[in-house]
Amino acid sequence: MSRKQKRGTVIGAGVALLGVAVGLVLYALSDTIVFFYTPSEVAEKEIAPGQRFRLGGLVEAGSLERLGGERVRFAVTDTDKTLTVVYSGILPDLFREGQGVVAEGALDGGVFTADTVLAKHDENYMPREVADALKEKGVWQHAGEGAQ
């Protein structure tokens, strides 16, 4: 084997090892990657039942229902589409109708079952994903201007 062939073999083996390492890292991360969607994006995409993702938007006014115990149902909207969310647990203190929210969970028969609900923490803050999605829809107004 010539010197050139040995160098090519070493480089090829290095590239193969690097490829295997990247593949293993991506495989390990595949269970922990959680995508963010708005209700309109959920309606457009085919999201498999049980696939975890984050749902963001505004809590629709008048949609909050107490189902008994710590179980609640509310609707998240991006003013175009609305998705019903069921959550068991204590809602954040700042959770209110008409405010921005991010819920993490999965679809179950057309209803989003959340295991985590995050609310904005002051009147000027909106989760970046929610603000970006609302800006994209053209319904974003800065807190000082009054949100729709």
Side-chain angles (χ1 to χ4, degrees):
M1 186 180 270
S2 72
R3 190 172 171 184
K4 188 175 182 180
Q5 289 174 327
K6 286 180 185 177
R7 190 176 339 149
T9 303
V10 170
I11 291 172
V15 168
L17 283 174
L18 184 63
V20 169
V22 168
L24 289 172
V25 168
L26 291 176
Y27 178 75
L29 290 176
S30 66
D31 288 340
T32 60
I33 294 173
V34 179
F35 293 100
F36 176 86
Y37 297 118
T38 63
S40 294
E41 291 171 334
V42 171
E44 292 169 5
K45 298 180 186 281
E46 292 187 23
I47 299 175
Q51 178 185 347
R52 291 188 58 79
F53 65 95
R54 287 182 172 193
L55 174 68
L58 302 172
V59 179
E60 189 172 58
S63 68
L64 181 62
E65 284 181 65
R66 304 266 178 209
L67 302 175
E70 295 179 342
R71 202 167 143 91
V72 294
R73 178 176 30 217
F74 56 93
V76 173
T77 183
D78 59 2
T79 69
D80 189 26
K81 300 281 184 185
T82 301
L83 188 60
T84 301
V85 177
V86 174
Y87 173 67
S88 294
I90 298 172
L91 288 170
D93 290 339
L94 298 174
F95 180 90
R96 290 185 182 81
E97 293 178 347
Q99 299 292 322
V101 67
V102 175
E104 186 172 329
L107 278 177
D108 184 18
V111 175
F112 187 78
T113 304
D115 53 22
T116 304
V117 172
L118 305 170
K120 69 179 201 174
H121 58 74
D122 71 22
E123 65 186 42
N124 295 320
Y125 177 76
M126 176 77 71
R128 187 175 52 91
E129 296 93 347
V130 174
D132 290 345
L134 293 175
K135 285 176 184 174
E136 202 171 281
K137 292 280 180 194
V139 296
W140 167 261
Q141 290 185 348
H142 192 267
E145 302 166 8
Q148 289 183 347

